[in-house]
Amino acid sequence: MHHSITRSTSESRIAAVMAIILVAALAAAPWWGSTAELRLIGEFMIYLSLASLWNLLAGYAGLISVGQQAYVGFGGYMLFTCAIYLGLNPLLAIPVAGVLGALVSIPVAFLVFRLNGAYFAIGTWVVAEVFRLGFAQISSLGGGSGTSLPIKVMKAMAGSKWMREAMIFETALLLGIGTVLAIYLLLRSRIGIGLTAIRDSQIASASLGVRVERIKLVTYVAVAGMTAMVGALIFITKLRITPDAAFSVNEWTAFVIFIVVIGGIGTIEGPIIGTIVFFVLREYMADLGSVYLMILGAMAIAIMLVAPKGIWGYVRERFNLSFFPVGYRVKLDTEKALKPTDTPGGT
Amino acid sequence: MDWVNAIVQGILIGGLYALFAAGLSLIFGVMRLVNIAHGDFIIAAAYLAYVVISATGLHPLLSLVFVVPVAAAAGYVLQATILNRTLGDDLLPPLLVTFGLSVILQNGLLEIFTADSRKLDAGLLDIQTVSVLPGVSVGYMPVLMFMTAVLVIAGLQYIFYRTALGRAFRATSDDGEIAQLMGLDNRKVFAAAMALSFAVIAIAGVFLAVRANFDPFMGPARLIFGFEAVIIGGLGNLWGTLAGGVILGVAQAIGAQIDPGWQLLAGHIAFLVVLAVKPRGLFPRIEG
Amino acid sequence: MSDPILSLGNVEAFYGDARALHGVSFDLHPGEMLALIGSNGAGKTTLLKTICGLISRYGGDIVFDQQNLSGTSASAIASAGIALVPEGRRLFPSLSVEENLVIGGHVGRTGPWNLVSIYELFPILKERRHQPSTSLSGGQQQMVAIGRALMANPKLLLLDELSLGLAPVIIKDIYALLPRIVGQGLSAILVEQDVTRALGFADRFICLQEGRVALEGAPGSFTREEISQAYFGA
């Protein structure tokens, strides 16, 4: 019997071509879009990135954090510090914030990794609270009432308003698309195979020699660094930072968790679909205020109870689709061999 | 004397934190579930008491006669209808479902009661104080709160180790599969544990509302205080939970004495220090 | 002959998608001791768990005491009068010896077994009644596991690998007590690695092979070779 092993699928190749066209069109948005459209797409990219990162952490590494706002806020504050006190160009300060975020996550991991499973989640929340209360004590960054990015810092980035907006937009696009691509490539790598194994069974993967704790630590630190970069970008667009906004559990963690759960946890496509759903809902229901939040919460609960793999998990099971083929598929040459009743190697 | 006074107040507030912690610790012990909405249910219980008192004019402590059974029933139903369906090998569903509940509760309370903060008036109990040391006097209410915490924990301890229900809790926690063969229905045992946890939540909610102002968004911080008390005291040890609450309360009081901005930070730091030095808590349960 | 206390008709059981039992049928009569033998993975423990209601995905009929158990929860089956002494004993570690016994009586059935009669059967347990169950020796733990099952005053007792991990002399002691337990209306299914010992106690035996009944009958009616062939397969 002939067979070949392949990763790509015909739908994944079509999707790749369409994605390239879409990204190219988005990259040209500063030339065709209004300021409001640029902001919306930029915000979409920010949530896409945060959701993909949280999904990597919770959906693959099994690290359910409700404290990722610690790194969003930390990144934001590092950006303000670098830009205001070191005179760094804000865009260059983004990677610096990322490196600092990754560094600070190492001692944090040392502490929170001592907590198991569910208690880990609350432990990460405590850390985020410590960050919030800590930054509120730093008077040179405005203490509890926060601080603004001086105009001259923004002017130093680029002279014209259009140029600044375009630069911020392209950075958001780079972070959003870059995060998804980076996670895709990571999951295809050796570490990714380990992560997928952890997702499927932690005990089995440990017994097969996957260094579970080490892979989890590396993932936690990498996600913290990336999250800090996104945080830095967020507060360039907001121009103002306060401890409450920087370390908001609702905005940087609750929304993100809902996006991932609704889209489909433990898949690359899930956060993309979830972000689209989130923005569509927000467009129509954000005026409802707190009722909108209740609906989001109820949706997440309903999905967890009825279809725990989210929208994408449901679609994938029904249609056997995969746009980001991470695993391998065995393709048999004879159609007869595809019948499930045939046992492999039976001929 | 300021310092002694602050520490005495911190010890007494530790009783409230122990009440936050006891319900959390109980359900984790029985079914390994961490209820992220625990703090929000405490606040919801405070609002329930507020409604009962507004309607009847009862004293807050008497309102417990109504609030405790209603909360326990709500806990039973919540577990039987929703949370039992999330339990299994995967940690994610119970965490995310209770996280969703937390967001729903906060915003639901906001819709109904607005963001205005409220307080329950305990009358004379609020004002009267007793002198414990020269220059140090404590209010009746904090003392009553601490004594209630001791009683609640003693009661839970009794239920856990001296009654058939407690035996069922421990057996189900040890080995859920074999426990079924003893005629125990895991789902009912879990629902009973949640009912008990909610009874404690109700007591905690009323005392919280008598002690200070409350608003719809105070829940997560109460969850965190309770959680910190559990971890400081040591998992699975109810009396340790009381000690954890007291340590947290004293740390916060000392922090506040240094600088008001350091009150919460000092509590969190005490927790992180314990986590770094004794990750199993100060008084871990000795495994037999 | 009286009505069977337990009757299995074409029972199939699944672990996920894997089928562990393929159409097992047999009857068990009141007071009868049935030995269930077979190599590792033949489906013996699975069969016991299926009868107890611990395996929710099964096909076929299990009728106990004239009641079809299909869709009945494990806790309701326990209350109906089936008790299991599980493989590896599985006592509740956070319960004392006496609490382990008392919780066995939780189903609320009455009969000859209570704390007094259990302590008569196993006097050592009375001495150790307040100790944690984990502090006992393996043999004593097995006594607690048997006592816990008896406290339910079952009509059917399922005994899974009583001798697992125990010293030969202790195994002998425990088996010596079996005649005092089974009989007088109590039926039992005994799973045991030691085929000779199992057949010595049983009225009848069933040999499972890869989830199917390979041989069935009275111990004396087959030669060793026939049993051995059913046990190991051709």
Side-chain angles (χ1 to χ4, degrees), chain C residues 23 57-58 74 102 104 109 112 119 140 146 180 196 199 207 223 228:
Chain C
R57 271 196 73 202
Y58 77 86
V102 169
R109 299 170 54 84
Y119 285 146
Q140 291 162 353
I146 295 170
R180 284 174 64 185
T196 312
L199 297 187
C207 182
T223 63
S228 163

Side-chain angles (χ1 to χ4, degrees), chain C residues 27-78:
Chain C
D27 284 349
L28 182 72
H29 293 277
E32 196 177 18
M33 164 90 93
L34 176 76
L36 194 57
I37 60 173
S39 56
N40 275 333
K44 301 173 307 246
T45 296
T46 306
L47 183 56
L48 295 193
K49 283 185 155 188
T50 308
I51 295 170
C52 290
L54 290 178
I55 291 175
S56 51
R57 271 196 73 202
Y58 77 86
D61 289 312
I62 302 178
V63 177
F64 172 69
D65 207 8
Q66 267 120 68
Q67 179 197 349
N68 195 319
L69 296 185
S70 170
T72 312
S73 70
S75 54
I77 289 174

Side-chain angles (χ1 to χ4, degrees), chain A residues 138-159:
Chain A
I138 302 174
S139 50
S140 58
L141 289 169
S145 50
T147 187
S148 298
L149 214 49
I151 296 291
K152 69 171 170 46
V153 168
M154 294 304 286
K155 286 247 166 85
M157 194 167 95

Side-chain angles (χ1 to χ4, degrees), chain B residues 17 211 248 251-256 259-268:
Chain B
Y17 295 163
R211 195 188 83 85
L248 185 62
Q252 289 186 355
I254 292 173
D259 177 322
W262 276 83
Q263 181 184 359
L264 296 180
L265 211 44
H268 295 323

Side-chain angles (χ1 to χ4, degrees), chain A residues 9 39 41 84 94 129 135 137 145 147 173 177 196 202 215 221 229 237 251 264 267-268 302 331 337 340 343-344:
Chain A
T9 60
R39 280 196 149 264
I41 300 169
I84 298 174
I94 291 177
E129 282 297 288
F135 277 103
Q137 291 297 310
S145 50
T147 187
L173 191 67
I177 305 294
T196 310
Q202 194 153 326
I215 288 184
V221 170
M229 282 182 26
T237 67
E251 275 194 78
T267 62
I268 296 179
K331 273 170 68 175
T343 46

Side-chain angles (χ1 to χ4, degrees), chain A residues 4-69:
Chain A
S4 55
I5 293 175
T6 173
R7 283 191 131 160
S8 57
T9 60
S10 59
E11 71 264 16
S12 79
R13 281 186 290 268
I14 296 168
V17 171
M18 284 173 63
I20 289 168
I21 295 171
L22 181 68
V23 170
L26 286 176
W31 289 271
W32 55 258
S34 66
T35 299
E37 282 162 345
L38 288 187
R39 280 196 149 264
L40 185 68
I41 300 169
E43 213 186 337
F44 182 93
M45 289 299 153
I46 282 167
Y47 271 105
L48 175 63
S49 180
L50 289 177
S52 298
L53 289 166
W54 189 83
N55 179 46
L56 180 65
L57 208 54
Y60 285 91
L63 294 166
I64 309 163
S65 165
V66 289
Q68 289 308 97
Q69 68 273 21

Side-chain angles (χ1 to χ4, degrees), chain C residues 138-151:
Chain C
Q140 291 162 353
Q141 289 192 22
Q142 190 61 276
M143 293 174 196
V144 179
I146 295 170
R148 181 178 68 178
L150 290 176
M151 284 291 285

